[in-house]
Amino acid sequence: MDNKLRPTKKLSHEESWGYDRSIIDYIQRAAAHGLYEIRGLGAKRKLPHFDDLVFLGASMSRYPLEGYREKCTTKTMLGTRFAKKPIALEIPITIAGMSFGALSAHVKDALGRAATEMGTSTTTGDGGMTSEERASSKILVYQCLPSRYGFNPDDLRKANAIEVVIGQGAKPGGGGMLLGQKVNPRVAKMRTLPEGVDQRSACRHPDWTGPDDLAIKIRELREITDWEKPIYVKVGATRTFNDVKLAIHSGADVVVVDGMQGGTAATQTCFIEHVGIPTLAALRQAVDALEDMNMKGTVQLIVSGGIRTGADVAKALAMGADAVSIGQGVLVALGCNSESWIHDGEHISAVEDYETIGAAPGFCHHCHTGQCPVGITTQDAILEQRLQPEVGARRVKNYLKTMNMELTTIARACGKQNVHHLEREDLVALTIEAAAMAHIPLAGTNWIPGATNTL
């Protein structure tokens, strides 16, 4: 038979769900190198999120506030339980702990400037406090992490609050990483490490093993600061209900709960994608714990992990948080994953630099390499010049300002004169999963999946 007359065999391109392209790529890379992947940023998989909730704005049964003419306050107090000097913020949006080492000194300076202009706080991160960060940040939270890298009692006294970090949402149960290419002479000196050598932080504190020991540590921190500073306890979201109760038992003024959408400078991908629970579920459990101990309003709750917009903030407050903390969002505001960096007002293309490290704008997660094309997650003396503090501060200030405007716009639409008056009754869920996790009724019904009582 003539070959031209033979029936053409069609090739099947049906992709396997269990072995899709990403899993095949993972197995082939693991087989070739025998190493797991390390990367930055947060989970890439789709998870139940604040996007799965919507507000019930005012109409006939509720009375809205009139535009911008009727005031809606955003003032937020943190640390009112024991501290002599609680934190007073103008907005309920804070900047999460991100270390000098993970970020450049220019970035830490920019974040401090933006936070100060907006009347909110920023946080040190692992590795200690830089002089630039303290100078630019009016309200600075000093982290005490398991590694104790750069921990300095004198710097601790200079801070406005202390955050004892038990875990992060991106890697609960695991320690931090700072790969050698980011351990430059200044970072090495602050952390008492050899230059250019990978740093792996401890996964637990060296001087206590449980909540009773933590209570002793918190009292030590209070004594060293004359009971002035609020003490935060930060946990990665896992067994959140019990962890929050234990943090309260230990004497925390503020509990910070970081969901699995939270970011990191560097950790194993298997941690980022497969350890922890979504922020939506963790927030509800944290509020349940506070209410169960009759501590709602006495101990403040900050939630973090995937907070991106003013709507996210409004939903977090409505569910019971007192404030939120953001990390990845401010990095994107600075220019993370942008096609260009800014010099003297001119945008300069960074596309070739992305290609050099095997990435592209919008798809980059190479924070761990120190070769950030836009000068954010780097310690390279040349690359860090691509982010000027005054430019970065302006962009982050604009971002925070926009989020706060969105927050108050939603609060007014729900008839609230204070953003902290938003409540669960203002929300409904769009999916059964979100309804069950948040204990919010499914839209158009009074049904909360798994609840013993319905509305």
Side-chain angles (χ1 to χ4, degrees):
M1 180 185 292
D2 192 324
N3 286 338
K4 292 182 180 180
L5 300 177
R6 292 180 184 273
T8 303
K9 183 178 181 180
K10 290 186 177 181
L11 298 176
S12 172
H13 294 289
E14 184 179 0
E15 188 169 38
S16 167
W17 179 85
Y19 288 85
D20 62 11
R21 280 165 286 184
S22 64
I23 290 295
I24 291 172
D25 179 62
Y26 154 73
I27 293 174
Q28 291 176 344
R29 281 185 288 108
H33 305 292
L35 298 169
Y36 52 65
E37 181 189 31
I38 294 173
R39 68 170 177 85
L41 299 183
K44 295 187 175 184
R45 64 194 299 177
K46 181 174 173 56
L47 295 163
H49 197 266
F50 292 111
D51 283 348
D52 297 317
L53 305 179
V54 291
F55 278 100
L56 300 175
S59 54
M60 288 290 288
S61 57
R62 296 291 185 274
Y63 195 70
L65 298 189
E66 179 58 42
Y68 295 99
R69 291 187 291 177
E70 293 186 87
K71 186 177 180 180
C72 181
T73 185
T74 58
K75 289 187 179 296
T76 303
M77 296 295 297
L78 300 174
T80 58
R81 185 185 186 188
F82 293 125
K84 292 180 182 178
K85 295 182 178 180
I87 301 297
L89 304 178
E90 294 298 320
I91 62 175
I93 308 166
T94 68
I95 295 178
M98 294 178 284
S99 73
F100 167 65
L103 307 181
S104 74
H106 282 194
V107 170
K108 295 296 284 180
D109 185 9
L111 296 181
R113 294 188 195 194
T116 295
E117 289 194 53
M118 289 300 298
T120 191
S121 64
T122 188
T123 313
T124 58
D126 206 353
M129 176 195 295
T130 66
S131 56
E132 299 97 325
E133 184 176 27
R134 178 63 279 189
S136 63
S137 302
K138 182 180 179 181
I139 305 172
L140 182 62
V141 181
Y142 190 91
Q143 283 192 331
C144 173
L145 295 105
S147 73
R148 304 294 165 85
Y149 287 135
F151 189 81
N152 184 324
D154 292 326
D155 287 342
L156 180 123
R157 293 187 188 96
K158 296 175 186 175
N160 303 95
I162 302 162
E163 184 171 280
V164 180
V165 179
I166 311 299
Q168 288 180 240
K171 50 193 174 190
M177 294 184 180
L178 189 67
L179 301 193
Q181 51 265 45
K182 297 178 81 171
V183 184
N184 69 7
R186 185 180 180 188
V187 172
K189 183 178 179 180
M190 287 180 65
R191 301 188 184 210
T192 318
L193 291 168
E195 296 176 28
V197 175
D198 292 355
Q199 171 247 296
R200 290 175 179 260
S201 297
C203 63
R204 65 187 188 198
H205 286 260
D207 48 358
W208 56 270
T209 57
D212 292 333
D213 291 343
L214 175 57
I216 296 171
K217 176 56 63 179
I218 287 176
R219 286 197 293 271
E220 289 178 358
L221 294 172
R222 292 199 191 281
E223 290 294 333
I224 202 174
T225 58
D226 194 27
W227 287 73
E228 288 184 350
K229 323 291 184 185
I231 307 291
Y232 301 7
V233 173
K234 179 178 180 178
V235 296
T238 54
R239 298 172 176 86
T240 310
F241 182 78
N242 291 328
D243 288 343
V244 169
K245 294 182 78 169
L246 290 172
I248 295 168
H249 166 77
S250 300
D253 296 298
V254 178
V255 179
V256 183
V257 174
D258 193 20
M260 71 175 289
Q261 292 101 315
T264 179
T267 199
Q268 300 97 317
T269 297
C270 60
F271 259 124
I272 296 173
E273 300 289 357
H274 300 287
V275 181
I277 65 173
T279 304
L280 191 66
L283 172 54
R284 191 264 303 167
Q285 289 189 322
V287 173
D288 284 352
L290 286 165
E291 293 176 343
D292 189 63
M293 297 185 73
N294 197 28
M295 282 290 178
K296 187 79 171 69
T298 300
V299 174
Q300 283 78 48
L301 173 64
I302 300 175
V303 65
S304 58
I307 306 291
R308 311 148 305 169
T309 67
D312 289 345
V313 179
K315 292 168 187 177
L317 297 190
M319 285 185 62
D322 295 282
V324 303
S325 196
I326 54 175
Q328 290 186 81
V330 295
L331 298 188
V332 174
L334 286 166
C336 170
N337 270 284
S338 175
E339 293 183 351
S340 60
W341 50 281
I342 301 171
H343 179 70
D344 291 337
E346 180 183 355
H347 286 261
I348 300 173
S349 176
V351 173
E352 289 187 6
D353 296 299
Y354 281 107
E355 292 174 353
T356 299
I357 60 174
F363 301 92
C364 185
H365 53 242
H366 289 239
C367 315
H368 59 292
T369 67
Q371 298 302 307
C372 177
V374 290
I376 296 171
T377 58
T378 183
Q379 296 302 319
D380 183 274
I382 296 175
L383 288 175
E384 72 174 353
Q385 298 302 318
R386 296 185 176 185
L387 192 286
Q388 294 302 304
E390 60 275 10
V391 175
R394 183 174 66 250
R395 292 179 61 86
V396 173
K397 177 188 174 183
N398 286 340
Y399 174 48
L400 294 175
K401 181 180 178 182
T402 300
M403 292 179 76
N404 198 55
M405 290 170 63
E406 292 172 342
L407 166 62
T408 55
T409 295
I410 289 172
R412 285 189 180 92
C414 293
K416 313 296 183 180
Q417 294 181 323
N418 186 322
V419 297
H420 297 289
H421 294 166
L422 288 165
E423 54 192 329
R424 291 183 226 185
E425 190 271 342
D426 296 317
L427 292 169
V428 293
L430 299 178
T431 67
I432 293 175
E433 291 83 358
M437 288 184 184
H439 276 203
I440 300 292
L442 193 66
T445 77
N446 64 356
W447 178 48
I448 300 175
T452 54
N453 296 309
T454 57
L455 297 179

